[in-house]
Structure formats: structure tokens, C-alpha cells
Amino acid sequence: MKNIRNFCIIAHINHGKSTLADRLLEYTNTVEAKDLQAQVLDDMDLERERGITIKSHAIQMDYKLDGEQYTLNLIDTPGHVDFSYEVSRSIAACEGALLIVDATQGIQAQTISNLYMAIDSDLEIIPVINKVDLESANPDEVEDQIVDLLGCKREEIIRASGKTGQGVPEILRAIIERVPAPKGDPEAPLQALIFDSVFNPFRGIIAYFKIVNGTIRKDDFVKFVSTGKEYHADEIGVLKLDMAPRAELSAGNVGYIISGIKTSKEVKVGDTITHVGRPAPAIAGFEEVKPMVFAGVYPIEAEDFENLRSSLEKLQLNDASLTFQPESSMALGFGFRCGFLGLLHMEIIQERLSREFNMDVITTVPNVSYKVYDKKGNVSEVHNPSGLPDITMIDHIEEPYIRSSIITTTDFIGPIMTLCLGKRGELIKQEFISGNRVELTFDIPLGEIVIDFYDKLKSISKGYASFDYHLHDFRDSKLVKLDVLLNGESVDALSTLTHADNAVAFGRKMCEKLKELIPRHQFDIAIQAAIGAKIIARETIKAVRKDVTAKCYGGDVSRKRKLLEKQKAGKKRMKQIGSVQVPQKAFLAVLKLD
């Protein structure tokens, strides 16, 4: 056990984690030359296309140093704020972390938040400056930033390059010398923490675990503590590039277990595996994830509802930060209310549903959850505007605020402040980190940043601002429910909760946009935006109508009037029984309103 090292790689997005992981795998001969490709651990098509890591990937390497053989378990983690739950679970399975900082970009927001996560878990931090081979690299300045942030010595910082392989031997030596070996007793009752799982259509659910205490052998009779279910360990092993079966694994190791589990509810990330004969108490798992953004996901065909449920369950195994519960909508039928960690997360889930499970879905406007207090003093949590109680019963509504940290260069402070204050943000503090880099801390309502805040921030700062946030508190806000009515009937999928000051402008924009997108019907369609009973905006889509008077040449005007009256009566009857078809792009267009 003293020769095992478990470590993960943490950094901001695009600082070169996966490329450096490639060099470590190449240097330790874990991956043969014929299998080597860029970002070898990013095995999902989506990850390769977008050039980002979405899932954490675990792999075991063997390395010989000074005549001793060591086993290194490496976990490569994502860098985007929307996948920070993956990072927290990877950290729980490790004793050390490589903190990678880009020599051209310096320390950014996600670097700091991932670092704090690692420090909270008492990990040994090894700072590495990556991309030192680039002409624009500025390793001396970045070294100053790391010393300020970590309080470490300059000689502890390793300079490396994921592209050329410079510094890789030093990193491996530092991992072996600085990262502590896992603590645990191989003779104690078995305790193994599940940190990830994946669904295999042929073998059932494969759970990945880290053994804290005890030893597990093939064919052992094991129990999953939180569900209380018992299984035979049909196969156990370690994670190389593919799964490598082993006869036994003892404390400190990271591995996988296959026991023919078919239902996804029976495996929970953060659960503990123990022996049925010698049970041990559960290990404290991970804190439950708090979704930030909610959206309705509906199948296009009503009969695909059950398929969508099983697809979401399988996806949840692989991505524990996704939450969902059934809901129904007047306009869209039966579907699920899903909770995501952010808009990128929502986009990735939609894409994975389409690619991995062939599910075409309609997604409604994303929104956040509000606390609604009624006049009797009861509190309810509302994720969907249609779930609001009657307006006369509401005392006040509280909305979630986030504490956000934006790190940027001094050139962009003005435009960023304008953006944040325009989103009802409050400046909490502004401090200079080093040179011309400044950290701005804002409190902003979560509902304001859900849709396009991050894109705007990137464009006004030319990509230089980095953004990180956490939920701070709930505050009393003047919120109103904005309904969209088509011919006097409310369309629940288009209703939103918005701040009273923005409601009129937003309602007008919404009506104009829907007028462009809804095709003309055989009767007039009135599009109205309303707050309660008060109509604040209206547009009319004129009917497609035939020229019924074309056949009248001359003669009395009453002949024409008779034909027009007949047409008018027909249109009126049609309006009573006709229904308005709202295309899918109309639901999505509400996101792009600006």
C-alpha cells in the first residue's frame, strides 16, 4: 500500500489538463504508441468535438523510480464551472492534486475554486506551470501569482509542457515524493466509496470505487449500504485504458465492480460497498448536488415518455449532477422537469440524449427555483411559473442570489461593471491580484445570468474574463408572472417569472418575436402578454383569407357585403374550434430575446 499514489489533475478550462495526462500515460508506457492520440482519456465524441472534458476519467499507471515499483491512479477532471460536481467527486477519491496553471493565462476563476475544493479535502497540492514552450508564456509572473495564492516555495513549482513533454519526469517524481500513500487497513471490514458509475447494455451497471478499508475479492458477497441490496462481485479490477480484471483489490486502490445490476436506482454515487458477512458503517459520501437551472424536457412523440425516463436514468448514472422529476404541461403533454448545473450542462445533456439514446426532445425556457411565501406564512419552492399559487394568496417571493467572482485585466473593468449592474448586480468588492489583474465580486440574481450572461461576459472581455459562482442566499424581490396568451388562452410553456421593472419591455419583445415565428392560420391570432389580468402588450397575426368578392362584377354593394359577412362568420366559427400550432423554434426563440 505504501507504493500506491492516488491523484487528480485540476485546472481552469483550456489550461492543458488532458494533454498533460497524455504525456504522463506516454512516459509511463501505460498506453502503447499505436493507441496514442490527442486527449486519449476524452473518449466521448462530444468531448473531442468541443475540445472540453465533460466526464472525469480514471486510469492506472505503473512507474518505476529508484528501483521501486509504484502504482499511480490518475483522474483527469473537467475545467468548466458547469461540471464542478465531477471535480468534487474525483477529489474525494484522491490524496493529492496537480494544480495546472497556463503560463500564458495565469490564475483564473475556476483555478481558485477547484483549488479551494482540494484544500478543503486536505489534498497535497503540486503546482505545475503548463505551456512554458509557447512564445507568449510568462512563467515568472505566473510563478508570483501561485506563490501569492498557495504560499508555497518557488522551487516547489514545476515548469512543464504538455505538448513537448518537458517537466514530465519531475512531475512523476513529485507525485511519488510529495503525495502521501493512502491510509487504510487491508484487514479491517470492507469500506469502498462509489465515486462514479456507467451503464453497459451487456453487463449491467459498472460502479467505480475507491477502497478506504479492507479487501475485496472476486465472487465476494457484497452489500450496497444506502440501498441495502446484496450482490455477488462477478468481476472486479482496475481501470487501465480498458478494464483490467484482478482477483483481489485491497485498501487504497481505485477499481471497478460488475455485479449484474440492471436497475439504475440501485447504484448511488457516494454510496459505500461492504461485505454481507462483516459489514462496516457507511463512509460520509458527497453532499447532494444543488441544481442551478431548471428546464422542462418533453419527448416530441407522446409515446416516447417511458423511453425518455429510462434514457434519463441511464444518463444520471453517468452524470450524478442531473436531477429530474415528472411533470406535465398543457401545451407539451407529459415530460420531466430537469435540474442542471448551468446552460452548458443543459446543452450537453440534450446532445447526449440525442446521440446516445436517439431521443429527440423539446426543452422549455430554462429558469431557476424561487421561494414563495403565502399570507399564512407557509413557504413553497417553485421551479416552474405554472406552479405559482394564486396571486392574491402570495405575500412575497424570494429569488436566489449568487456570489460571483470575475477575474479580468484592468482594461475591461468598465464594460464588465456595466453588464453586471444591468443584470441587477451589486458590487461587493474589487481587489487587485497582481500586475493588472483584478478580481470583482458581485451578488447577482441567478435568474439574470441563466440565459446569456456568460456569452456576453466573454465577448465584452475578448475572452479574457473568467467567471465562477456559488449560491449565496435568497432575497425578497419584486417578481411578477408574465403570461403569454394566444387567442385568450395561456401557453404555460412560454410563461416566465421576471422582475417587475423588466416585465413590460420583455413582454413586448416576446409578442414581436412570436409574431415572426408563428405561421399564419385561417383565422386572426391575437398574441398578448399579460401580468395577472392586465394586458401589457399585443400583436395580431392576420388571417390567410381568400378574396371572396373576386367574382362580383359591378351590381349592388350588398352582394359583396353578403359574401364578406358569410366569410367573417366562417372565420369566427373557425377561431372558436381552431387551435394554434406553436413551432418548437418559438419556445427556443425566447432564450435569444435581446
Side-chain angles (χ1 to χ4, degrees):
M1 207 166 124
K2 68 182 197 316
N3 288 4
I4 296 176
R5 300 288 182 273
N6 300 321
F7 69 100
C8 59
I9 303 183
I10 54 175
H12 189 81
I13 191 167
N14 278 350
H15 280 206
K17 297 176 292 300
S18 301
T19 313
L20 199 63
D22 289 354
R23 294 294 79 76
L24 292 170
L25 297 176
E26 190 181 0
Y27 196 84
T28 56
N29 298 323
T30 305
V31 178
E32 292 176 28
K34 66 180 172 57
D35 293 328
L36 203 66
Q37 52 176 346
Q39 279 86 39
V40 69
L41 292 179
D42 290 351
D43 50 11
M44 214 187 287
D45 292 346
L46 214 52
E47 292 178 313
R48 297 189 157 278
E49 282 165 27
R50 290 177 179 243
I52 57 175
T53 304
I54 293 168
K55 284 287 302 162
S56 297
H57 298 275
I59 191 163
Q60 191 176 85
M61 309 182 287
D62 294 315
Y63 185 59
K64 204 167 193 171
L65 182 72
D66 304 337
E68 283 244 26
Q69 188 73 29
Y70 291 92
T71 300
L72 310 177
N73 289 310
L74 147 75
I75 303 181
D76 176 27
T77 66
H80 197 283
V81 62
D82 280 14
F83 305 113
S84 54
Y85 191 61
E86 288 285 322
V87 183
S88 71
R89 286 166 26 208
S90 308
I91 284 173
C94 297
E95 282 81 36
L98 291 182
L99 178 74
I100 312 277
V101 183
D102 187 328
T104 59
Q105 303 266 0
I107 282 173
Q108 292 188 283
Q110 207 54 32
T111 316
I112 296 175
S113 78
N114 286 343
L115 170 69
Y116 286 160
M117 241 191 267
I119 290 174
D120 286 346
S121 301
D122 291 337
L123 299 201
E124 179 63 39
I125 310 288
I126 300 172
V128 177
I129 298 179
N130 195 18
K131 307 190 186 180
V132 291
D133 58 314
L134 296 181
E135 284 178 20
S136 55
N138 195 346
D140 296 332
E141 190 185 309
V142 175
E143 214 165 73
D144 293 341
Q145 292 176 16
I146 294 176
V147 170
D148 283 352
L149 181 69
L150 275 174
C152 60
K153 300 189 181 73
R154 281 183 176 277
E155 54 273 18
E156 288 177 9
I157 302 171
I158 301 168
R159 294 188 180 190
S161 162
K163 195 188 251 175
T164 62
Q166 174 190 340
V168 171
E170 289 86 349
I171 291 174
L172 286 164
R173 180 174 284 278
I175 289 165
I176 288 166
E177 289 174 359
R178 296 194 220 165
V179 175
K183 298 178 181 69
D185 179 2
E187 302 305 317
L190 175 69
Q191 279 181 310
L193 180 70
I194 299 177
F195 65 89
D196 203 355
S197 56
V198 59
F199 181 78
N200 181 316
F202 304 107
R203 311 207 57 185
I205 292 160
I206 302 169
Y208 299 159
F209 60 77
K210 179 200 175 181
I211 304 178
V212 179
N213 283 313
T215 303
I216 184 170
R217 294 174 185 80
K218 188 176 179 323
D219 294 327
D220 274 358
F221 198 31
V222 296
K223 174 177 162 183
F224 286 36
V225 176
S226 80
T227 58
K229 302 271 184 183
E230 298 174 358
Y231 309 97
H232 282 284
D234 299 337
E235 184 183 304
I236 57 165
V238 293
L239 298 152
K240 296 282 191 181
L241 196 54
D242 293 315
M243 296 184 291
R246 295 282 185 270
E248 74 168 42
L249 292 173
S250 60
N253 256 306
V254 173
Y256 70 89
I257 177 170
I258 300 176
S259 47
I261 306 171
K262 290 286 184 281
T263 35
S264 46
K265 287 195 180 70
E266 293 176 22
V267 177
K268 266 182 71 179
V269 165
D271 195 0
T272 305
I273 304 175
T274 185
H275 280 131
V276 174
R278 277 177 79 197
I283 311 164
F286 314 101
E287 50 186 90
E288 283 292 310
V289 62
K290 294 186 192 73
M292 295 284 185
V293 177
F294 295 90
V297 173
Y298 293 86
I300 287 179
E301 299 296 332
E303 58 265 25
D304 286 342
F305 176 72
E306 282 304 324
N307 294 351
L308 180 59
R309 183 199 295 274
S310 69
S311 305
L312 283 169
E313 282 175 356
K314 287 170 189 168
L315 207 50
Q316 195 178 33
L317 275 175
N318 199 236
D319 181 351
S321 52
L322 168 70
T323 59
F324 64 91
Q325 61 200 58
E327 73 161 5
S328 64
S329 147
M330 298 283 285
L332 300 169
F334 289 102
F336 294 93
R337 185 109 205 122
C338 296
F340 308 98
L341 293 184
L343 273 195
L344 177 69
H345 187 211
M346 172 173 145
E347 207 180 304
I348 294 290
I349 292 287
Q350 215 174 332
E351 190 71 28
R352 286 184 71 185
L353 278 171
S354 156
R355 289 184 185 205
E356 295 172 26
F357 303 100
N358 276 335
M359 291 299 310
D360 286 330
V361 293
I362 294 176
T363 312
T364 63
V365 186
N367 57 12
V368 299
S369 61
Y370 298 92
K371 284 186 177 170
V372 179
Y373 290 79
D374 64 17
K375 291 185 174 163
K376 294 177 184 167
N378 302 325
V379 190
S380 55
E381 204 168 87
V382 173
H383 304 308
N384 190 345
S386 61
L388 267 187
D390 190 67
I391 195 103
T392 53
M393 302 297 293
I394 297 174
D395 183 50
H396 66 280
I397 302 176
E398 289 186 352
E399 67 175 329
Y401 268 69
I402 56 160
R403 175 68 51 94
S404 66
S405 141
I406 298 170
I407 295 180
T408 178
T409 50
T410 44
D411 317 351
F412 305 114
I413 293 180
I416 288 174
M417 283 205 171
T418 312
L419 172 70
C420 294
L421 296 171
K423 295 279 188 189
R424 298 192 284 129
E426 291 170 27
L427 180 65
I428 303 299
K429 65 171 191 250
Q430 168 183 344
E431 55 185 324
F432 286 84
I433 303 174
S434 62
N436 68 339
R437 293 163 66 77
V438 63
E439 179 176 12
L440 302 169
T441 306
F442 277 94
D443 278 358
I444 309 177
L446 181 59
E448 294 281 345
I449 68 151
V450 157
I451 291 170
D452 57 356
F453 178 80
Y454 193 62
D455 299 343
K456 282 186 177 167
L457 180 69
K458 281 291 181 201
S459 55
I460 61 175
S461 66
K462 303 195 170 81
Y464 278 108
S466 61
F467 176 66
D468 181 43
Y469 63 87
H470 60 268
L471 202 56
H472 186 55
D473 58 4
F474 279 79
R475 298 186 194 175
D476 190 358
S477 283
K478 208 168 130 201
L479 296 168
V480 290
K481 181 185 174 191
L482 184 71
D483 285 312
V484 174
L485 310 173
L486 296 180
N487 279 345
E489 284 187 28
S490 171
V491 181
D492 59 352
L494 289 173
S495 60
T496 49
L497 270 175
T498 179
H499 196 264
D501 299 349
N502 309 339
V504 175
F506 188 66
R508 282 210 185 108
K509 280 185 195 162
M510 214 147 156
C511 290
E512 285 161 16
K513 194 76 182 171
L514 288 170
K515 185 181 178 181
E516 288 170 30
L517 293 169
I518 295 176
R520 287 172 73 183
H521 288 54
Q522 290 284 343
F523 48 90
D524 283 2
I525 300 171
I527 303 171
Q528 294 165 310
I531 296 172
K534 184 183 173 192
I535 305 291
I536 55 168
R538 169 175 173 137
E539 295 285 338
T540 308
I541 300 175
K542 296 309 272 178
V544 182
R545 48 184 287 235
K546 186 177 166 188
D547 186 0
V548 288
T549 58
K551 62 185 181 188
C552 292
Y553 307 115
D556 190 46
V557 73
S558 61
R559 288 179 63 201
K560 285 187 181 177
R561 193 171 296 133
K562 182 182 160 192
L563 289 168
L564 288 169
E565 289 297 331
K566 190 177 170 187
Q567 183 187 37
K568 194 169 158 190
K571 294 281 180 201
K572 190 175 172 188
R573 190 168 64 249
M574 204 179 273
K575 186 172 181 174
Q576 285 168 354
I577 58 168
S579 63
V580 183
Q581 298 293 321
V582 184
Q584 158 69 0
K585 58 178 185 235
F587 294 109
L588 298 177
V590 183
L591 308 183
K592 310 272 187 303
L593 277 184
D594 203 35

